Amino acid sequence: MRFSINPEMATQEVQPNETLTNLKAESDTLKTKLEDERAKLHDVELHQVAEKVDGLGQFIMKTRRTLKGHGNKVLCMDWCKDKRRIVSSSQDGKVIVWDAFTTNKEHAVTMPCTWVMACAYAPSGCAVACGGLDNKCSVYPLSLDKNENLAAKKKSVAMHTNYLSACSFTNSDMQILTSSGDGTCALWDVESGQLLQSFHGHAADVLCLDLAPSETGNTFVSGGCDKKANVWDMRSGQCIQSFETHESDINSVRYYPSGDAFASGSDDATCRLYDLRADREVAIYSKESIIFGASSVDFSLSGRLLFGGYNDYTINVWDVLKGTRVSILFGHENRVSTLRLSPDGTAFCSGSWDHTLRIWA
Amino acid sequence: TSLAESPFLSVRDRPEQAVMLEMQDPKTGVKSQPQKLVITTIPHAITGEDVVTWLANRYTIEAEEAWALGTMLVAFGYIYPLQDHKRLVIKPDTSLYRFQTPYFWPAQQWPVEDTDYAIYLAKRNIRKKGVLEMHEQEQYNSLHKWMNHKWDFIVMQAKEQYRAGKERKKPDRTVFDCQERAYWIVHRPPPGTVSAMDYGLERMVDPNAEEVTGQSRVCVCVCVCVLVKFSITCNKHDPFLAPCLPSNPWVTDDVTYWLLNMANVDIPTKMRVERWTFSFGELLSDPRGRDDFRLFLKKEFSGENLAFWEACEDLKWGTAATMNEKAQQVYKTFLARGAPRWINIDGKTMEVTVKGLKHPHRYVLDAAQTHIFMLMKKDSYGRYLKSPVFKDTQKKAIGPDQHRFRSVKRRPSISPIIVRQQEKEERARMATSGPVDITQVMSKLSNKGKEVPPPKK
């Protein structure tokens, strides 16, 4: 709290011989002191406020579908707005569109590169975007004609100078947001391939991004190998907030459903929650027994649960408010590389280096 | 990080701070000396007349203007009176004042929180019971009521500050108390006191102006309470925490839940309607909710607001190639004088928008869009929730019972590609046959079996 700052500093007046420089120095000292005080008095922790909240009951979360078909590590997946279709991409260059409900494969594309680390479903459900070691993000319009080669109508949209790590459509099929190993994020016009805005500020590879829920404005968050999570204004390209509390690469970032906060998963084996208005970390999700990195995180619909896919093949489910782990899910036989909640929150999907995807509910 | 980027002494944003620095210059500033006040001696006291004279000389202005400027400095809390402390004016006589410490200057960095004020009042109460003035007592009671859940925290902070205060030397303590009291008179003025903190109506930030890099931090306590509250409110709607009705399709293989919650279903479920009451954003982001709202606005003859908002969204997220054309279309339809669907925005916003349209970019309508959004959120939304349209929808909403039976077959669903094709065809049909009630059309598409009515004139 402000008022317990050193009273000498607070009562000091302009002494004789002090000049503008001295006053500036004084204000700098005050600033540092203030930061120290703020750090000391963390006000209150999230789990303290949540003490009065009812605990969660027992969970029955099981694998409801297993999607087999990829020939190699699954690296990324995304849901269609219809709540049942998904797109997934893998190390061997294959991108598959599934109806996860029936487990039928509906479309397949072979990319000209390996390690397709990013894929996204268009809001209309009529196209997918993907990319990876080709340093590009391409959009493939989907067709019902089984004989049609989807690669023929492919549109090259984004061009980076290093691998594509993540991509996401904005509120329409016409714009794509990308992040790359070249340290930047960028916003592109799909039709023309024009670069609309670029976002510079990360000091190393950017590994992930997430768009803020539309009611909360035009921002997105990105995480990188520089251990930073940055919040960006899409209009100006400016980094408006930056958080650096992780001790290693940030593999995944995801907004809390209200847009007031976001979670991150990192190679430091922790997940963290950052509140945007408080401008600080407000929770850490960690356990001594969890020593492998978290690769991918997502919230349940109410934000109460945080699902984390980890490099030790497990999925840990956290009580976001109380900070405790409520469940651990086994099933994958290799790293969990990607994880996302379905659009209506009825299930989440995990993809793994064991070549499969699983739907959990 | 943001504190480091926006220093206290931000002369560009707060030019009065430059004045304050000059006034305190030991050689050329206002003369000060220690003053005996009651039993203590207050260092660096200045007189009102010295302040006014200094300002008059420095800026080559008349005494009256210097007096006005001096009063502003007191009203903002940069200078505070030692006597008659509740009147925030400069008296051009031997009345005593002091420069407020920079720590207590009006800060842009954070809003003045009620929590801080509660702590301050509680602290004074601890110090001496009955010392609070009537308006302070009223505030205290009111704060105690709505901050009841964190009152322990507040009392703890107050005690801590009181204890820390007692450790100071008496003269320092007196000075600090004076400064603190002055700060609160500025930020929570007693009745009859004019401080400069009142700023009238909410102002729109000019989207073409420079971005403010200094973030106003909000107390962590408030923020985490917001997160907790959201989670609790949505608890029943989280399929992982409460049962989906009638069942979760992934568990029972029965897709009734999805059918009941399709985008443009005629009769929504009770749960869905409840979500519309959580926030305006929730209502808008659900197509069925938005349709209901649209119907309500139509009856109020303010449908153009929503239409404008949607047009702005279309511009922001649309193809770059058609952007110019879209912007011009929006202008003609909603903003130009005599436009067919003219929207009511304030003069300043209109000016900014029209100016921006000369060189349109995808965010050119942001200011106007925000204005209309807030208008709908603060005004129409509340009325909608009380309206016959909403109440009717609420009454008709379905509340399916839970079932646990498993479906025999996992039915495939219509491809989004086909759905889009159908929507296109329907829109084309609408365009040729004249205006039709949109909810009727959409419900037809969702196969709820309503006939498309004959076109209206």
Side-chain angles (χ1 to χ4, degrees), chain A residues 120-141:
Chain A
Y121 224 122
S124 69
C126 300
V128 294
C130 48
L133 279 188
D134 57 357
N135 300 359
K136 293 192 209 152
C137 184
S138 309
V139 175
Y140 292 82

Side-chain angles (χ1 to χ4, degrees), chain A residues 138-155:
Chain A
S138 309
V139 175
Y140 292 82
L142 299 172
S143 163
L144 290 168
D145 184 353
K146 295 282 174 200
N147 294 325
E148 188 170 342
N149 180 10
L150 291 181
K153 293 224 175 96
K154 151 181 159 182
K155 238 182 275 189

Side-chain angles (χ1 to χ4, degrees), chain A residues 191-313:
Chain A
E191 203 60 55
S192 62
Q194 187 193 347
L195 171 67
L196 299 173
Q197 184 65 259
S198 67
F199 305 89
H200 297 259
H202 278 287
D205 309 23
V206 187
L207 298 178
C208 51
L209 60 84
D210 192 34
L211 275 153
S214 34
E215 307 89 68
T216 57
N218 314 304
T219 59
F220 72 94
V221 61
S222 66
C225 290
D226 57 359
K227 310 174 203 168
K228 286 205 199 140
N230 290 339
V231 180
W232 307 86
D233 180 335
M234 280 171 73
R235 297 173 300 178
S236 61
Q238 295 299 316
C239 173
I240 51 181
Q241 275 173 287
S242 189
F243 303 88
E244 192 175 347
T245 62
H246 271 294
E247 291 162 21
S248 187
D249 301 1
I250 298 178
N251 298 312
S252 176
V253 285
R254 198 76 74 208
Y255 273 92
Y256 188 75
S258 69
D260 293 323
F262 70 89
S264 58
S266 160
D267 275 348
D268 69 6
T270 71
C271 297
R272 295 171 199 241
L273 186 69
Y274 299 90
D275 187 290
L276 292 167
R277 286 190 309 156
D279 194 30
R280 68 186 310 139
E281 176 190 292
V282 293
I284 305 183
Y285 307 100
S286 67
K287 232 169 145 38
E288 276 196 301
S289 55
I290 301 176
I291 54 173
F292 287 92
S295 64
S296 195
V297 298
D298 205 351
F299 288 98
S300 72
L301 203 111
S302 64
R304 183 64 191 270
L305 301 174
L306 181 71
F307 305 109
Y310 289 73
N311 292 340
D312 63 2
Y313 317 173

Side-chain angles (χ1 to χ4, degrees), chain A residues 309-325:
Chain A
Y310 289 73
N311 292 340
D312 63 2
Y313 317 173
T314 67
I315 294 167
N316 288 295
V317 184
W318 301 91
D319 180 332
V320 170
L321 304 183
K322 293 189 185 279
T324 52
R325 189 194 51 197

